[in-house]
Amino acid sequence: MLEDALKGEIQDAYRQVVERLGLTPRYGQRLMIAEIARTLGGIDMDDEGKRQNDTHVCVLEAGTGTGKTLAYLLAALPVAKAQGKRLVISTATIALQEQVLGHDLPSLAQHSGIAFRYALAKGRGRYVCVARLDQALEGSEPNPTMSLFQQELIATSSDFSQLTQDMAKAYGQGEWEGDRDSWHESIDDPTWRRLTVDHRQCTGRRCGHFGACAFFRSRRELEDADVIVANHDLVLADLALGGGAILPDPADCIFVFDEGHHLPDKALSHFAHRFAVHGCLRWLKTLKSSLTELHQALAQQSTVRQLLAKLPDMLQALEPALQEVFSLGHQLAERPNGLGDEEAFKQTRFAKGQAPDALREQALQLTTLFAELSRSLETIGDILRESLDPDKQTGLDREQAESWLPLVALLHGRALEAHALWEAISAVDPNDAPPCARWVTLSRVGGEPEVEFSASPVSAAHTLAKHLWGRCHGAVVTSATLTALGRFERLQERAGLAGRYRYQALPSPFDYANAVLSVPQAATDPSDREAHEQAIIDFVTALTDREAALVLFSSRAQLRAVEKALPAEVKARVLAQDALPKRELLERHRAAVDRGEGSVIFGLASFAEGIDLPGEYLTHVVITRLPFAVPDDPVGATLAEWIESQGGNPFMRISVPDASIKLVQACGRLIRKESDSGRITLLDRRVLTRRYGKALLDALPPFRREIA
């Protein structure tokens, strides 16, 4: 139970914020605060501060206008402080992260009466490596062969030299914190890779620049912070490293996952593996040609000398094995007829996730070979790290070790990635769980044919259940759209959320009767492509010349076809997603509305979420068709195939619930504030003629309806 003192602290903080900021108390917001406080405040802990119960997660759907950021901060922060835990706020988008950091947390600190410190967490790769920067200023690479493995890097130019001088000056004078995102100009990826390192290349406390390190300086700030702002990718990356590598240990954290509906997809992408065969052959060839330099630099150390002596045989075994798997992959993913060399792209998914026997045999061989290479490179890397320690005598001097460690660590990372992929290709999936998706892609890179093998789990549920929900002290998952068809089951299935956790869909502060949901007589079945396309053209043409509208398409080809067929005077008011960057498109749209002119945005799926055009900036949302995603991607198709093999219906289990979420998101573009009103038009008649249509309509907010 929530202690009375803690309950009073939360209530006092809420009262102060509402009064000082002149806010209107919202029923849904108060419910959200109470639910989070009950869940997190009810966590039982033993004498060592470890969680004792398994009802430590709450999942809250809170629509736009609830004020959920303020709610979860006010409820979770006092509980986290009282329990000696850290509050980690994780978002899916930069925009929300900037809002939390730049507005919500400063406002709370100023007006709530709660004393707390907060900091932003970023991965190591977002920070400049001071050692690399120092080397760049001297005009030298870490060692003679490093640049051979980063062939996309051009020779040092005057622009790069000037950039490093500017960075060194700004960092040295405290005008720049050393992170890529706060540098005043954008930095392209090849340039930035010359100035940063990953966790394998970083030497940590053994680095001569450790005291001035931007990354570790930020880590020290995190150690003092009560609230840490991160993103889903960083949280998942930290879990992949075992937890506690970048962020505090999960057991010491209360997580809030805002935009939590993105978490399952983010997790899937983190646990996927890819391997480009020719790309690997190129770096192995470069390694082979660099062995002489490696021997000259490092062979004085006996263990390193023995390991380097084995490398030629390893490479000699790897090259033909990779050539064989390239040929097999080419056969498995034949180039489609009628495509020119530059257009060639073919993807072949293995049915039920099972790689052909011939491929599994080769994968087993490659798993063994890359494991051996990984172990050798790891041992060499460990010796180089030890050589940086003045108390360790390894036979290598510090300068040699510091120069060659980045290269060895880079190669070790590549070998590990290759090993993980081939292990996933050769693995046998358990009979009682969804299989891993496996596929091969044939394409062209730089005019040369490339075969890429890929493997990915079809569900992140088990991993999230074990490594996140099972380990964290407490968690809140929230978003405007967490339910599908009005239920939480789809999210539970995808995110590994247990049924014993607390779930609640909070009431919206909006009066949805201010908006009309219309399915007009003109709505057609999209299966008749020509009739459906013409219906869209006719409808857009009939929009008034002062209308502020968003027309959402599920097909880029259809968007272009409709735009092309519009009369010139209508086309002049259309802003198409393909033609302009998103920010510029929205600015032009707002400017047109401000001038009293009509503006019609043509957008694809990305415009159905995250677009905020309140008031007169958007009064009509047109949804051209129900947002069904065809599970033709390898991961979705493998999952659908498995569900079908278990006697299930993948369309009803996956496609319809996912379409429900996307439809709610699309409709959510219209009502952004309590005073907003307007119209939503659905031009897909299947919502009235198919048996799933009623369920989709029933899951929408209670708009007034005009159904023809």
Side-chain angles (χ1 to χ4, degrees):
M1 294 294 292
L2 189 65
E3 294 178 3
D4 289 342
L6 194 53
K7 185 176 180 180
E9 183 182 349
I10 294 170
Q11 290 172 338
D12 288 344
Y14 183 57
R15 190 180 305 112
Q16 287 187 56
V17 170
V18 168
E19 289 175 357
R20 292 179 180 180
L21 294 177
L23 303 177
T24 302
R26 295 170 178 174
Y27 177 60
Q29 188 178 58
R30 292 199 301 269
L31 281 180
M32 186 171 182
I33 292 171
E35 187 64 27
I36 293 172
R38 272 195 296 268
T39 301
L40 302 180
I43 297 173
D44 296 324
M45 294 189 292
D46 62 17
D47 294 338
E48 297 179 356
K50 294 181 179 178
R51 173 173 51 80
Q52 294 298 293
N53 56 332
D54 288 327
T55 53
H56 59 298
V57 179
C58 65
V59 183
L60 303 172
E61 183 175 81
T64 305
T66 302
K68 57 180 176 289
T69 310
L70 180 61
Y72 62 63
L73 287 172
L74 279 170
L77 179 54
V79 175
K81 291 188 70 177
Q83 296 179 351
K85 305 299 178 183
R86 318 282 286 286
L87 182 61
V88 178
I89 309 298
S90 178
T91 73
T93 62
I94 292 174
L96 180 55
Q97 188 177 70
E98 289 176 346
Q99 177 193 311
V100 172
L101 270 170
H103 177 266
D104 297 320
L105 283 168
S107 179
L108 190 71
Q110 183 178 355
H111 300 294
S112 67
I114 302 173
F116 66 94
R117 290 163 294 189
Y118 58 91
L120 173 64
K122 295 183 182 181
R124 193 185 315 260
R126 303 307 295 179
Y127 290 93
V128 72
C129 170
V130 179
R132 284 278 181 97
L133 184 60
D134 192 41
Q135 289 158 355
L137 287 169
E138 295 174 0
S140 64
E141 290 288 351
N143 63 65
T145 60
M146 184 70 181
S147 62
L148 296 176
F149 291 88
Q150 299 172 325
Q151 294 176 11
E152 72 275 14
L153 304 179
I154 59 173
T156 300
S157 65
S158 59
D159 288 344
F160 181 72
S161 177
Q162 186 62 52
L163 174 67
T164 56
Q165 290 177 41
D166 292 344
M167 283 183 167
K169 181 180 178 182
Y171 189 66
Q173 294 180 351
E175 297 169 357
W176 177 49
E177 294 182 356
D179 63 307
R180 181 179 182 178
D181 305 294
S182 66
W183 187 247
H184 60 274
E185 296 175 340
S186 63
I187 307 171
D188 61 51
D189 289 341
T191 299
W192 183 251
R193 278 195 289 271
R194 300 178 71 172
L195 296 169
T196 191
V197 293
D198 62 22
H199 71 278
R200 294 185 188 91
Q201 295 170 314
C202 178
T203 57
R205 296 181 181 277
R206 292 164 169 164
C207 177
H209 298 275
F210 178 75
C213 178
F215 172 70
F216 283 102
R217 186 178 290 175
S218 73
R219 286 287 301 274
R220 288 189 284 273
E221 290 180 8
L222 292 187
E223 290 171 7
D224 296 330
D226 302 294
V227 182
I228 298 171
V229 181
N231 59 40
H232 299 350
D233 287 315
L234 184 63
V235 173
L236 292 164
D238 187 60
L239 291 176
L241 293 171
I246 305 167
L247 299 169
D249 188 281
D252 296 324
C253 292
I254 290 175
F255 291 94
V256 175
F257 292 99
D258 203 341
E259 302 174 312
H261 61 287
H262 286 292
L263 191 60
D265 287 332
K266 293 277 188 183
L268 274 183
S269 67
H270 265 269
F271 306 130
H273 304 287
R274 293 177 181 81
F275 180 89
V277 182
H278 266 178
C280 180
L281 281 167
R282 282 193 291 272
W283 72 259
L284 288 175
K285 183 180 179 182
T286 307
L287 173 58
K288 191 175 182 179
S289 66
S290 303
L291 288 177
T292 300
E293 286 86 356
L294 278 163
H295 271 280
Q296 289 174 347
L298 304 175
Q300 60 189 281
Q301 210 281 338
S302 58
T303 305
V304 173
R305 182 171 62 250
Q306 293 170 17
L307 292 169
L308 289 175
K310 295 178 181 178
L311 285 182
D313 289 340
M314 291 185 201
L315 300 179
Q316 193 68 29
L318 268 169
E319 286 180 354
L322 288 170
Q323 292 288 2
E324 288 179 23
V325 85
F326 181 90
S327 299
L328 178 58
H330 203 285
Q331 295 168 20
L332 293 171
E334 294 177 352
R335 192 170 65 202
N337 294 329
L339 290 183
D341 284 350
E342 295 304 320
E343 300 170 306
F345 178 88
K346 175 72 174 179
Q347 194 172 79
T348 299
R349 178 182 66 85
F350 303 130
K352 299 179 181 178
Q354 295 179 1
D357 289 343
L359 177 59
R360 283 197 69 249
E361 288 177 14
Q362 291 185 344
L364 285 166
Q365 179 190 9
L366 286 165
T367 300
T368 301
L369 291 172
F370 276 112
E372 187 179 4
L373 179 60
S374 297
R375 284 193 295 269
S376 294
L377 291 169
E378 182 178 23
T379 303
I380 294 172
D382 288 343
I383 293 170
L384 293 179
R385 284 188 185 85
E386 284 186 13
S387 302
L388 299 175
D389 192 330
D391 297 329
K392 299 284 180 68
Q393 299 298 318
T394 64
L396 289 173
D397 64 46
R398 181 188 179 92
E399 187 176 337
Q400 285 175 307
E402 202 163 35
S403 174
W404 286 91
L405 179 59
L407 173 63
V408 173
L410 175 73
L411 298 174
H412 179 220
R414 291 183 177 181
L416 282 176
E417 289 166 3
H419 175 264
L421 179 281
W422 293 116
E423 188 175 48
I425 291 288
S426 62
V428 177
D429 298 317
N431 293 325
D432 58 346
C436 184
R438 300 175 177 88
W439 67 98
V440 59
T441 305
L442 173 63
S443 62
R444 299 191 78 83
V445 177
E448 296 295 321
E450 180 60 282
V451 171
E452 183 177 74
F453 291 89
S454 303
S456 171
V458 298
S459 171
H462 175 74
T463 302
L464 291 175
K466 180 178 179 181
H467 297 290
L468 179 55
W469 315 127
R471 289 183 60 191
C472 71
H473 179 74
V476 177
V477 182
T478 187
S479 172
T481 46
L482 292 178
T483 59
L485 301 174
R487 298 187 296 274
F488 286 99
E489 281 88 343
R490 177 72 176 131
L491 178 68
Q492 288 177 296
E493 181 181 59
R494 298 183 68 223
L497 291 159
R500 63 180 175 273
Y501 299 156
R502 301 173 73 105
Y503 298 84
Q504 189 169 355
L506 301 166
S508 171
F510 297 152
D511 183 0
Y512 286 106
N514 288 336
V516 173
L517 174 66
S518 168
V519 184
Q521 194 67 49
T524 59
D525 191 321
S527 60
D528 186 342
R529 189 182 62 80
E530 290 185 8
H532 184 242
E533 202 166 279
Q534 189 59 51
I536 301 169
I537 294 166
D538 293 343
F539 191 86
V540 173
T541 302
L543 293 173
T544 67
D545 58 6
R546 293 185 179 276
E547 197 127 22
L550 170 64
V551 183
L552 294 169
F553 293 83
S554 59
S555 157
R556 179 173 272 104
Q558 190 175 62
L559 183 154
R560 290 172 176 166
V562 169
E563 184 187 15
K564 184 178 180 181
L566 291 173
E569 66 274 12
V570 178
K571 193 184 298 186
R573 301 198 304 274
V574 170
L575 296 166
Q577 179 177 345
D578 271 358
L580 293 167
K582 191 172 188 177
R583 181 173 301 201
E584 184 179 346
L585 185 151
L586 294 174
E587 286 175 356
R588 289 195 188 186
H589 174 80
R590 292 188 187 99
V593 174
D594 288 340
R595 293 193 301 268
E597 301 170 3
S599 178
V600 180
I601 296 173
F602 276 15
L604 295 164
S606 63
F607 274 61
E609 183 182 359
I611 297 294
D612 193 19
L613 294 169
E616 295 301 312
Y617 290 121
L618 185 58
T619 57
H620 197 162
V621 174
V622 181
I623 301 167
T624 58
R625 66 184 295 163
L626 294 172
F628 287 116
V630 180
D632 55 0
D633 68 286
V635 175
T638 302
L639 177 60
E641 191 176 54
W642 181 78
I643 290 172
E644 205 163 41
S645 73
Q646 303 297 302
N649 182 336
F651 180 74
M652 295 304 296
R653 185 166 159 185
I654 300 174
S655 300
V656 174
D658 288 356
S660 174
I661 292 173
K662 292 174 184 175
L663 189 60
V664 171
Q665 288 171 342
C667 293
R669 296 315 94 211
L670 182 67
I671 305 293
R672 310 300 298 169
K673 293 184 177 178
E674 293 181 43
S675 59
D676 284 356
S677 62
R679 176 175 289 269
I680 299 164
T681 300
L682 182 56
L683 293 176
D684 188 336
R685 198 148 200 86
R686 290 177 299 176
V687 77
L688 304 179
T689 60
R690 303 293 173 88
R691 62 189 180 95
Y692 54 75
K694 184 177 185 302
L696 291 176
L697 288 175
D698 288 347
L700 294 175
F703 304 115
R704 286 185 290 127
R705 297 188 179 182
E706 293 180 1
I707 309 294

